[in-house]
Amino acid sequence: PITRGQGVTVAVVDSGVQYTPQLNGRVSYKDLTGTGGADCVGHGTAVASIIAASDEQSSGVPFYGVAPAARILSIKITTSENVNPGVLAAGIRDAVNLGAQVINVSSQVVQDTPALHQAINYALGHNRVVVAAAGNDEQTSNGSQIRGPFYPAAYPGVLSVGAVDQDQE
């Protein structure tokens, strides 16, 4: 049960989660955008599936999540790829208050704001595991390259994760 996520709720603080049969019956929602739980970006659904998609290999579906028995708590904080640090902070607090044991934040901001730092400390103070995207140093904004650190991944106590593609980039 531990290796499959049985009894664990993972908050996906992101763009919402669309219905997919592999998550059927294991997703609850909180919308901070006022637009409903639907994922209009697709990112939150992809993240939730990587975490908890059920094993449907017998039905010909070759993919399943790393914790296929976990429950997902979708905390919708954005309707685009842009994230407001204040809304992100509120989403993290809501994830704690709604009982998530693990809080996944796959987006990042470059601002180290007091509200975001306090939300992370709130989560860690309640013995929650916070997993956050390390960020991409190759990002550009208005023609300027954006360099880290990126938050909340840069805060002490947060499990910061990165990704590479098949070319190790």
Side-chain angles (χ1 to χ4, degrees):
I2 293 172
T3 62
R4 298 184 51 78
Q6 185 73 37
V8 176
T9 299
V10 179
V12 176
V13 183
D14 210 299
S15 59
V17 175
Q18 285 296 108
Y19 171 81
T20 173
Q22 287 182 283
L23 296 172
N24 189 28
R26 294 183 293 121
V27 181
S28 55
Y29 299 90
K30 171 97 187 234
D31 173 27
L32 300 182
T33 68
T35 62
D39 185 355
C40 53
V41 178
H43 193 265
T45 303
V47 170
S49 296
I50 290 168
I51 295 167
S54 61
D55 185 350
E56 299 288 333
Q57 289 185 354
S58 64
S59 300
V61 179
F63 171 83
Y64 62 96
V66 296
R71 294 193 52 76
I72 296 293
L73 169 59
S74 172
I75 307 282
K76 185 174 179 178
I77 60 159
T78 188
T79 58
S80 70
E81 293 186 16
N82 298 319
V83 176
N84 176 302
V87 178
L88 175 56
I92 292 167
R93 285 183 172 277
D94 284 345
V96 172
N97 294 336
L98 292 170
Q101 293 98 333
V102 178
I103 301 168
N104 181 88
V105 182
S106 292
S107 55
Q108 66 276 333
V109 296
V110 294
Q111 302 97 337
D112 174 10
T113 67
L116 185 55
H117 200 168
Q118 290 167 1
I120 291 298
N121 287 338
Y122 182 74
L124 297 175
H126 283 83
N127 296 318
R128 301 313 199 263
V129 175
V130 180
V131 181
N136 303 316
D137 278 344
E138 299 301 318
Q139 296 180 57
T140 58
S141 176
N142 298 325
S144 299
Q145 189 170 6
I146 301 172
R147 298 229 179 250
F150 296 102
Y151 298 92
Y155 292 127
V158 173
L159 178 59
S160 176
V161 296
V164 295
D165 64 15
Q166 64 271 22
D167 297 321
Q168 314 317 298
E169 295 180 7

Coordinates of all heavy atoms in Angstrom, one line a residue, residues 59-149:
S59 N -5.9 -3.3 -20.2 CA -6.8 -2.8 -21.2 C -6.1 -2.1 -22.3 O -6.7 -1.4 -23.1 CB -7.7 -1.7 -20.5 OG -8.5 -2.2 -19.5
G60 N -4.8 -2.3 -22.3 CA -4.0 -1.8 -23.4 C -3.4 -0.4 -23.2 O -2.8 0.2 -24.1
V61 N -3.6 0.2 -22.0 CA -3.0 1.5 -21.7 C -1.7 1.3 -21.1 O -1.5 0.7 -20.0 CB -4.0 2.3 -20.8 CG1 -3.3 3.6 -20.4 CG2 -5.3 2.4 -21.3
P62 N -0.6 1.7 -21.8 CA 0.8 1.4 -21.3 C 1.3 2.3 -20.2 O 2.3 2.0 -19.6 CB 1.6 1.6 -22.6 CG 0.9 2.7 -23.3 CD -0.6 2.4 -23.1
F63 N 0.6 3.3 -19.8 CA 1.1 4.3 -18.8 C 0.3 4.2 -17.5 O -0.9 4.0 -17.5 CB 0.9 5.7 -19.4 CG 1.2 6.8 -18.4 CD1 2.4 7.2 -18.1 CD2 0.1 7.4 -17.7 CE1 2.7 8.2 -17.2 CE2 0.4 8.4 -16.8 CZ 1.7 8.8 -16.5
Y64 N 1.0 4.3 -16.4 CA 0.3 4.5 -15.1 C 1.2 5.3 -14.2 O 2.4 5.4 -14.4 CB -0.1 3.2 -14.5 CG 1.0 2.2 -14.1 CD1 1.5 2.1 -12.8 CD2 1.4 1.2 -15.0 CE1 2.5 1.2 -12.5 CE2 2.4 0.3 -14.7 CZ 2.9 0.3 -13.5 OH 3.9 -0.6 -13.1
G65 N 0.7 5.9 -13.2 CA 1.4 6.8 -12.3 C 2.3 6.1 -11.3 O 2.2 4.9 -11.1
V66 N 3.1 6.9 -10.7 CA 4.1 6.4 -9.7 C 3.4 6.0 -8.4 O 4.0 5.2 -7.6 CB 5.2 7.4 -9.4 CG1 6.1 7.7 -10.6 CG2 4.7 8.7 -8.9
A67 N 2.2 6.5 -8.1 CA 1.4 6.1 -6.9 C 0.0 5.9 -7.4 O -0.9 6.7 -7.1 CB 1.5 7.2 -5.9
P68 N -0.3 4.8 -8.1 CA -1.6 4.6 -8.7 C -2.8 4.4 -7.8 O -3.9 4.4 -8.3 CB -1.4 3.4 -9.6 CG -0.2 2.7 -9.0 CD 0.6 3.7 -8.4
A69 N -2.6 4.3 -6.5 CA -3.7 4.2 -5.6 C -3.9 5.5 -4.8 O -4.8 5.6 -4.0 CB -3.4 3.1 -4.6
A70 N -3.1 6.5 -5.1 CA -3.2 7.8 -4.3 C -4.5 8.6 -4.8 O -5.0 8.4 -5.9 CB -2.0 8.7 -4.6
R71 N -5.0 9.4 -3.9 CA -6.1 10.3 -4.3 C -5.4 11.7 -4.7 O -4.4 12.0 -4.2 CB -7.0 10.5 -3.1 CG -7.7 9.3 -2.7 CD -8.9 9.5 -1.7 NE -9.8 10.5 -2.2 CZ -10.7 10.4 -3.1 NH1 -10.9 9.3 -3.7 NH2 -11.5 11.4 -3.4
I72 N -6.1 12.4 -5.5 CA -5.7 13.7 -6.0 C -6.6 14.8 -5.5 O -7.8 14.6 -5.6 CB -5.6 13.8 -7.5 CG1 -4.6 12.8 -8.1 CG2 -5.3 15.2 -8.0 CD1 -3.1 13.1 -7.8
L73 N -6.0 15.8 -4.9 CA -6.8 17.0 -4.6 C -6.3 18.1 -5.5 O -5.2 18.6 -5.4 CB -6.5 17.4 -3.1 CG -7.0 18.8 -2.7 CD1 -8.5 18.9 -2.9 CD2 -6.6 19.1 -1.2
S74 N -7.2 18.4 -6.5 CA -6.8 19.5 -7.5 C -7.1 20.8 -6.9 O -8.3 21.1 -6.5 CB -7.6 19.3 -8.7 OG -7.5 20.3 -9.6
I75 N -6.1 21.6 -6.7 CA -6.2 23.0 -6.3 C -5.9 23.9 -7.5 O -4.8 24.1 -7.9 CB -5.3 23.4 -5.1 CG1 -5.4 22.4 -4.0 CG2 -5.5 24.9 -4.7 CD1 -6.6 22.6 -3.1
K76 N -7.0 24.4 -8.2 CA -6.8 25.2 -9.4 C -6.4 26.6 -9.0 O -7.2 27.3 -8.4 CB -8.1 25.1 -10.2 CG -7.9 25.8 -11.6 CD -9.1 25.6 -12.4 CE -9.0 26.3 -13.8 NZ -10.2 26.1 -14.6
I77 N -5.2 27.0 -9.4 CA -4.7 28.4 -9.1 C -4.5 29.3 -10.3 O -4.2 30.4 -10.2 CB -3.4 28.3 -8.3 CG1 -2.3 27.6 -9.1 CG2 -3.7 27.7 -7.0 CD1 -0.9 27.9 -8.7
T78 N -4.7 28.7 -11.5 CA -4.4 29.5 -12.7 C -5.2 28.9 -13.9 O -5.6 27.8 -14.0 CB -2.9 29.5 -13.1 OG1 -2.6 30.4 -14.1 CG2 -2.4 28.1 -13.4
T79 N -5.4 29.8 -14.9 CA -6.0 29.4 -16.2 C -5.0 29.6 -17.3 O -5.4 29.6 -18.5 CB -7.3 30.2 -16.4 OG1 -6.9 31.6 -16.4 CG2 -8.3 29.9 -15.4
S80 N -3.8 29.9 -17.0 CA -2.7 30.1 -18.0 C -1.4 29.5 -17.5 O -1.4 28.9 -16.5 CB -2.6 31.6 -18.4 OG -2.0 32.3 -17.3
E81 N -0.3 29.8 -18.2 CA 1.0 29.4 -17.7 C 1.5 30.4 -16.7 O 2.6 30.1 -16.1 CB 1.9 29.2 -18.9 CG 1.5 28.0 -19.7 CD 2.5 27.6 -20.8 OE1 3.6 28.1 -20.8 OE2 2.1 26.9 -21.7
N82 N 0.9 31.5 -16.5 CA 1.4 32.5 -15.5 C 0.7 32.2 -14.2 O -0.4 31.8 -14.1 CB 1.0 33.9 -16.0 CG 1.6 34.3 -17.3 OD1 2.8 33.9 -17.5 ND2 0.9 34.9 -18.2
V83 N 1.5 32.4 -13.1 CA 1.1 32.1 -11.8 C 1.3 33.3 -10.9 O 2.3 33.9 -10.9 CB 1.9 30.9 -11.2 CG1 1.5 30.6 -9.8 CG2 1.7 29.6 -12.1
N84 N 0.2 33.6 -10.2 CA 0.3 34.7 -9.2 C 0.8 34.2 -7.9 O 0.2 33.2 -7.4 CB -1.2 35.3 -9.1 CG -1.2 36.4 -8.0 OD1 -0.9 36.2 -6.9 ND2 -1.7 37.6 -8.5
P85 N 1.9 34.7 -7.3 CA 2.4 34.2 -6.1 C 1.4 34.2 -4.9 O 1.4 33.3 -4.1 CB 3.6 35.1 -5.8 CG 3.9 35.8 -7.0 CD 2.7 35.8 -7.9
G86 N 0.5 35.2 -4.9 CA -0.5 35.3 -3.8 C -1.5 34.1 -3.9 O -1.9 33.5 -2.9
V87 N -1.9 33.9 -5.1 CA -2.9 32.8 -5.3 C -2.2 31.4 -5.1 O -2.8 30.5 -4.5 CB -3.5 32.9 -6.7 CG1 -4.5 31.7 -6.9 CG2 -4.2 34.2 -6.9
L88 N -1.0 31.3 -5.5 CA -0.2 30.1 -5.2 C -0.1 29.8 -3.7 O -0.3 28.7 -3.3 CB 1.2 30.2 -5.9 CG 2.2 29.0 -5.6 CD1 1.6 27.7 -6.0 CD2 3.5 29.3 -6.3
A89 N 0.2 30.9 -3.0 CA 0.3 30.8 -1.5 C -1.0 30.3 -0.9 O -1.1 29.4 -0.1 CB 0.7 32.1 -0.9
A90 N -2.1 30.9 -1.4 CA -3.5 30.5 -0.9 C -3.7 29.0 -1.3 O -4.3 28.3 -0.4 CB -4.5 31.4 -1.5
G91 N -3.3 28.6 -2.4 CA -3.5 27.2 -2.8 C -2.8 26.2 -2.0 O -3.3 25.1 -1.6
I92 N -1.5 26.6 -1.6 CA -0.7 25.7 -0.7 C -1.4 25.6 0.7 O -1.5 24.6 1.2 CB 0.7 26.3 -0.6 CG1 1.4 26.1 -2.0 CG2 1.5 25.6 0.5 CD1 2.7 26.8 -2.1
R93 N -1.9 26.7 1.2 CA -2.6 26.7 2.5 C -3.8 25.9 2.4 O -4.1 25.1 3.3 CB -2.9 28.2 3.0 CG -1.7 28.9 3.5 CD -2.1 30.3 4.0 NE -1.0 31.0 4.6 CZ -0.7 30.8 5.9 NH1 -1.4 30.0 6.6 NH2 0.3 31.4 6.4
D94 N -4.6 26.0 1.4 CA -5.8 25.2 1.2 C -5.5 23.8 1.1 O -6.2 22.9 1.7 CB -6.6 25.7 -0.1 CG -7.3 27.0 0.1 OD1 -7.5 27.4 1.3 OD2 -7.7 27.5 -0.9
A95 N -4.4 23.4 0.5 CA -4.0 22.0 0.4 C -3.7 21.4 1.8 O -4.2 20.3 2.1 CB -2.8 21.8 -0.5
V96 N -3.1 22.2 2.6 CA -2.8 21.8 4.0 C -4.2 21.6 4.7 O -4.4 20.6 5.4 CB -1.9 22.8 4.7 CG1 -1.8 22.4 6.2 CG2 -0.5 22.8 4.1
N97 N -5.0 22.6 4.7 CA -6.2 22.7 5.4 C -7.2 21.6 4.9 O -8.1 21.2 5.7 CB -6.9 24.1 5.3 CG -6.0 25.1 6.0 OD1 -5.3 24.8 6.9 ND2 -6.2 26.3 5.6
L98 N -7.1 21.2 3.7 CA -8.0 20.1 3.2 C -7.4 18.7 3.3 O -8.0 17.8 2.8 CB -8.3 20.4 1.7 CG -9.2 21.7 1.5 CD1 -9.3 22.0 0.0 CD2 -10.6 21.5 2.1
G99 N -6.3 18.6 4.0 CA -5.8 17.3 4.4 C -4.8 16.6 3.5 O -4.4 15.5 3.7
A100 N -4.3 17.3 2.5 CA -3.3 16.7 1.6 C -2.0 16.4 2.4 O -1.5 17.2 3.1 CB -3.0 17.5 0.4
Q101 N -1.4 15.2 2.3 CA -0.2 14.9 2.9 C 1.0 15.3 2.1 O 2.1 15.6 2.6 CB -0.1 13.3 3.2 CG -1.1 12.8 4.2 CD -2.3 12.2 3.5 OE1 -2.7 12.5 2.4 NE2 -2.9 11.3 4.3
V102 N 0.8 15.3 0.8 CA 1.9 15.7 -0.2 C 1.3 16.9 -1.0 O 0.2 16.8 -1.5 CB 2.3 14.6 -1.1 CG1 3.4 15.0 -2.1 CG2 2.8 13.4 -0.3
I103 N 2.1 17.9 -1.2 CA 1.7 19.1 -2.0 C 2.6 19.2 -3.2 O 3.8 19.4 -3.0 CB 1.6 20.3 -1.1 CG1 0.7 20.2 0.0 CG2 1.3 21.6 -2.0 CD1 0.8 21.2 1.1
N104 N 2.1 19.1 -4.4 CA 2.9 19.2 -5.6 C 2.6 20.5 -6.2 O 1.5 20.9 -6.5 CB 2.5 18.1 -6.6 CG 3.4 18.2 -7.8 OD1 4.5 17.6 -7.9 ND2 2.9 18.9 -8.8
V105 N 3.7 21.3 -6.5 CA 3.7 22.6 -7.2 C 4.6 22.5 -8.4 O 5.8 22.6 -8.2 CB 4.1 23.7 -6.3 CG1 4.0 25.1 -7.0 CG2 3.3 23.8 -5.0
S106 N 4.0 22.3 -9.6 CA 4.8 22.1 -10.8 C 5.0 23.4 -11.5 O 5.6 23.4 -12.6 CB 4.2 21.1 -11.7 OG 4.3 19.8 -11.1
S107 N 4.6 24.5 -11.0 CA 4.9 25.8 -11.5 C 5.8 26.5 -10.6 O 6.0 26.1 -9.5 CB 3.6 26.6 -11.7 OG 2.9 26.7 -10.5
Q108 N 6.3 27.7 -11.1 CA 7.3 28.4 -10.2 C 7.1 29.9 -10.5 O 6.6 30.3 -11.5 CB 8.7 27.9 -10.5 CG 9.3 28.2 -11.8 CD 8.9 27.2 -12.9 OE1 8.7 26.0 -12.5 NE2 8.9 27.5 -14.1
V109 N 7.6 30.7 -9.5 CA 7.6 32.1 -9.7 C 9.0 32.6 -9.3 O 9.8 31.9 -8.6 CB 6.6 32.8 -8.8 CG1 5.2 32.4 -9.2 CG2 6.8 32.5 -7.3
V110 N 9.4 33.7 -9.8 CA 10.7 34.3 -9.5 C 10.7 35.2 -8.3 O 11.8 35.5 -7.8 CB 11.4 35.0 -10.7 CG1 11.6 34.0 -11.9 CG2 10.5 36.1 -11.2
Q111 N 9.5 35.5 -7.8 CA 9.4 36.4 -6.7 C 9.4 35.6 -5.4 O 8.7 34.6 -5.2 CB 8.1 37.2 -6.7 CG 8.0 38.0 -7.9 CD 7.1 37.3 -9.0 OE1 7.0 36.1 -9.0 NE2 6.5 38.1 -9.9
D112 N 10.3 36.0 -4.4 CA 10.3 35.4 -3.1 C 9.4 36.4 -2.3 O 9.9 37.4 -1.7 CB 11.8 35.4 -2.5 CG 11.8 35.0 -1.1 OD1 10.8 34.5 -0.5 OD2 12.9 35.1 -0.5
T113 N 8.1 36.0 -2.2 CA 7.2 36.9 -1.5 C 7.0 36.4 0.0 O 7.0 35.2 0.2 CB 5.8 36.9 -2.2 OG1 5.2 35.6 -2.1 CG2 6.0 37.3 -3.6
P114 N 6.7 37.3 0.9 CA 6.4 36.8 2.3 C 5.2 35.9 2.3 O 5.3 34.9 3.1 CB 6.1 38.1 3.0 CG 6.8 39.2 2.2 CD 6.8 38.7 0.8
A115 N 4.2 36.1 1.6 CA 3.0 35.2 1.6 C 3.3 33.8 1.2 O 2.9 32.8 1.8 CB 1.9 35.8 0.7
L116 N 4.1 33.7 0.1 CA 4.5 32.4 -0.4 C 5.4 31.7 0.6 O 5.2 30.5 0.9 CB 5.2 32.5 -1.8 CG 5.5 31.2 -2.5 CD1 4.3 30.3 -2.6 CD2 6.1 31.4 -3.8
H117 N 6.4 32.4 1.1 CA 7.3 31.8 2.1 C 6.5 31.3 3.4 O 6.7 30.2 3.9 CB 8.4 32.8 2.5 CG 9.6 32.1 3.1 ND1 10.7 32.8 3.3 CD2 9.8 30.9 3.6 CE1 11.6 32.0 3.8 NE2 11.1 30.8 4.0
Q118 N 5.6 32.1 3.8 CA 4.7 31.8 5.0 C 3.9 30.5 4.7 O 3.7 29.7 5.5 CB 3.9 33.0 5.4 CG 4.7 34.1 6.0 CD 3.8 35.4 6.1 OE1 2.7 35.4 5.8 NE2 4.5 36.4 6.7
A119 N 3.4 30.4 3.5 CA 2.5 29.3 3.1 C 3.4 28.0 3.1 O 2.9 27.0 3.6 CB 1.9 29.5 1.7
I120 N 4.6 28.1 2.6 CA 5.5 26.9 2.6 C 5.8 26.6 4.1 O 5.8 25.4 4.5 CB 6.8 27.2 1.8 CG1 6.5 27.3 0.4 CG2 7.9 26.1 2.1 CD1 5.9 26.0 -0.3
N121 N 6.1 27.5 4.9 CA 6.4 27.3 6.3 C 5.2 26.7 7.0 O 5.3 25.8 7.9 CB 6.9 28.5 7.0 CG 8.3 28.9 6.7 OD1 9.1 28.1 6.2 ND2 8.6 30.2 6.8
Y122 N 4.0 27.1 6.6 CA 2.7 26.6 7.2 C 2.6 25.1 6.8 O 2.3 24.3 7.7 CB 1.6 27.4 6.6 CG 0.2 27.0 7.1 CD1 -0.2 27.3 8.4 CD2 -0.7 26.3 6.3 CE1 -1.5 26.9 8.9 CE2 -1.9 25.9 6.8 CZ -2.3 26.2 8.0 OH -3.6 25.9 8.5
A123 N 2.9 24.8 5.6 CA 2.8 23.4 5.1 C 3.8 22.5 5.8 O 3.5 21.4 6.4 CB 3.0 23.3 3.6
L124 N 5.1 23.0 5.9 CA 6.1 22.2 6.5 C 5.9 22.1 8.0 O 6.1 21.0 8.6 CB 7.5 22.9 6.3 CG 7.9 22.9 4.8 CD1 9.2 23.7 4.6 CD2 8.0 21.5 4.2
G125 N 5.3 23.1 8.6 CA 5.0 23.1 10.1 C 3.9 22.1 10.4 O 3.7 21.7 11.5
H126 N 3.1 21.7 9.4 CA 2.0 20.7 9.5 C 2.5 19.4 9.0 O 1.7 18.5 8.7 CB 0.8 21.2 8.8 CG 0.0 22.2 9.6 ND1 0.3 23.6 9.5 CD2 -1.0 22.1 10.4 CE1 -0.5 24.2 10.3 NE2 -1.3 23.4 10.9
N127 N 3.8 19.2 8.9 CA 4.4 17.9 8.5 C 3.9 17.5 7.1 O 3.8 16.3 6.8 CB 4.2 16.8 9.5 CG 4.9 17.2 10.8 OD1 6.0 17.6 10.8 ND2 4.2 16.9 11.9
R128 N 3.8 18.4 6.2 CA 3.4 18.1 4.8 C 4.7 18.0 4.0 O 5.6 18.8 4.2 CB 2.5 19.1 4.2 CG 1.1 19.3 4.9 CD 0.4 18.0 5.3 NE -1.0 18.2 5.5 CZ -1.5 18.3 6.7 NH1 -0.7 18.3 7.8 NH2 -2.8 18.5 6.9
V129 N 4.7 17.2 3.0 CA 5.8 17.1 2.0 C 5.5 18.0 0.9 O 4.4 17.9 0.3 CB 6.1 15.7 1.5 CG1 7.1 15.6 0.4 CG2 6.4 14.7 2.7
V130 N 6.3 19.0 0.6 CA 6.1 19.9 -0.5 C 7.1 19.6 -1.6 O 8.4 19.6 -1.4 CB 6.2 21.4 -0.1 CG1 6.0 22.3 -1.3 CG2 5.3 21.7 1.1
V131 N 6.6 19.2 -2.8 CA 7.5 18.9 -3.9 C 7.2 20.0 -4.9 O 6.1 20.3 -5.3 CB 7.1 17.6 -4.5 CG1 8.0 17.2 -5.7 CG2 7.2 16.5 -3.5
A132 N 8.3 20.7 -5.4 CA 8.1 21.8 -6.3 C 9.1 21.8 -7.5 O 10.3 21.3 -7.3 CB 8.3 23.1 -5.5
A133 N 8.7 22.3 -8.6 CA 9.6 22.4 -9.8 C 10.7 23.3 -9.6 O 10.6 24.4 -9.1 CB 8.7 22.8 -11.0
A134 N 11.9 22.8 -9.9 CA 13.1 23.6 -9.8 C 13.1 24.8 -10.7 O 13.7 25.9 -10.4 CB 14.4 22.8 -10.1
G135 N 12.4 24.7 -11.9 CA 12.4 25.9 -12.8 C 13.3 25.6 -14.0 O 14.1 24.8 -14.0
N136 N 13.1 26.5 -15.0 CA 13.9 26.4 -16.2 C 14.7 27.7 -16.4 O 14.1 28.7 -16.6 CB 13.0 26.1 -17.4 CG 12.1 24.9 -17.3 OD1 12.6 23.9 -16.8 ND2 10.8 25.0 -17.6
D137 N 16.0 27.6 -16.4 CA 16.8 28.8 -16.6 C 16.8 29.3 -18.0 O 17.3 30.4 -18.3 CB 18.2 28.5 -16.1 CG 18.4 28.7 -14.6 OD1 17.5 29.2 -14.0 OD2 19.5 28.2 -14.1
E138 N 16.2 28.6 -18.9 CA 16.2 29.0 -20.3 C 14.9 29.8 -20.6 O 14.6 30.0 -21.8 CB 16.3 27.7 -21.2 CG 17.6 27.0 -21.0 CD 18.8 27.9 -21.3 OE1 18.8 28.6 -22.2 OE2 19.8 27.7 -20.5
Q139 N 14.1 30.1 -19.6 CA 12.9 30.9 -19.8 C 13.2 32.3 -20.2 O 14.2 32.9 -19.8 CB 12.1 30.9 -18.5 CG 11.6 29.6 -18.1 CD 10.8 29.8 -16.8 OE1 9.8 30.5 -16.8 NE2 11.2 29.1 -15.8
T140 N 12.4 32.9 -21.0 CA 12.5 34.3 -21.4 C 11.2 35.0 -21.1 O 10.1 34.4 -21.2 CB 12.9 34.5 -22.9 OG1 11.9 33.9 -23.7 CG2 14.3 33.9 -23.2
S141 N 11.3 36.3 -20.8 CA 10.2 37.2 -20.6 C 10.5 38.5 -21.2 O 11.5 39.1 -20.8 CB 9.9 37.3 -19.1 OG 8.8 38.2 -18.9
N142 N 9.7 39.0 -22.1 CA 9.9 40.2 -22.8 C 11.3 40.3 -23.4 O 12.0 41.4 -23.3 CB 9.7 41.4 -21.8 CG 8.3 41.5 -21.4 OD1 7.3 41.1 -22.1 ND2 8.1 41.9 -20.1
G143 N 11.8 39.2 -23.9 CA 13.2 39.2 -24.6 C 14.3 39.0 -23.6 O 15.5 38.9 -24.1
S144 N 14.1 39.0 -22.3 CA 15.1 38.8 -21.3 C 15.1 37.4 -20.8 O 14.1 36.8 -20.5 CB 15.0 39.8 -20.2 OG 15.1 41.1 -20.6
Q145 N 16.3 36.8 -20.6 CA 16.4 35.5 -20.0 C 16.2 35.5 -18.5 O 16.7 36.4 -17.8 CB 17.8 34.8 -20.3 CG 17.8 33.4 -19.9 CD 19.1 32.7 -20.4 OE1 20.0 33.3 -20.9 NE2 19.2 31.4 -20.2
I146 N 15.3 34.6 -18.1 CA 15.0 34.5 -16.6 C 15.9 33.5 -16.0 O 16.0 32.3 -16.5 CB 13.5 34.1 -16.4 CG1 12.6 35.1 -17.1 CG2 13.2 34.0 -14.9 CD1 11.2 34.7 -17.1
R147 N 16.5 33.9 -14.9 CA 17.4 32.9 -14.2 C 16.8 32.8 -12.8 O 16.2 33.7 -12.3 CB 18.8 33.5 -14.1 CG 19.5 33.6 -15.4 CD 20.8 33.0 -15.4 NE 21.5 33.1 -16.7 CZ 21.7 32.0 -17.4 NH1 21.3 30.8 -17.1 NH2 22.3 32.2 -18.6
G148 N 17.0 31.6 -12.2 CA 16.6 31.3 -10.8 C 17.3 32.2 -9.8 O 18.1 33.0 -10.2
P149 N 17.0 32.0 -8.5 CA 16.2 30.9 -8.0 C 14.7 31.0 -8.3 O 14.2 32.2 -8.5 CB 16.5 30.9 -6.5 CG 16.8 32.3 -6.2 CD 17.5 32.9 -7.5

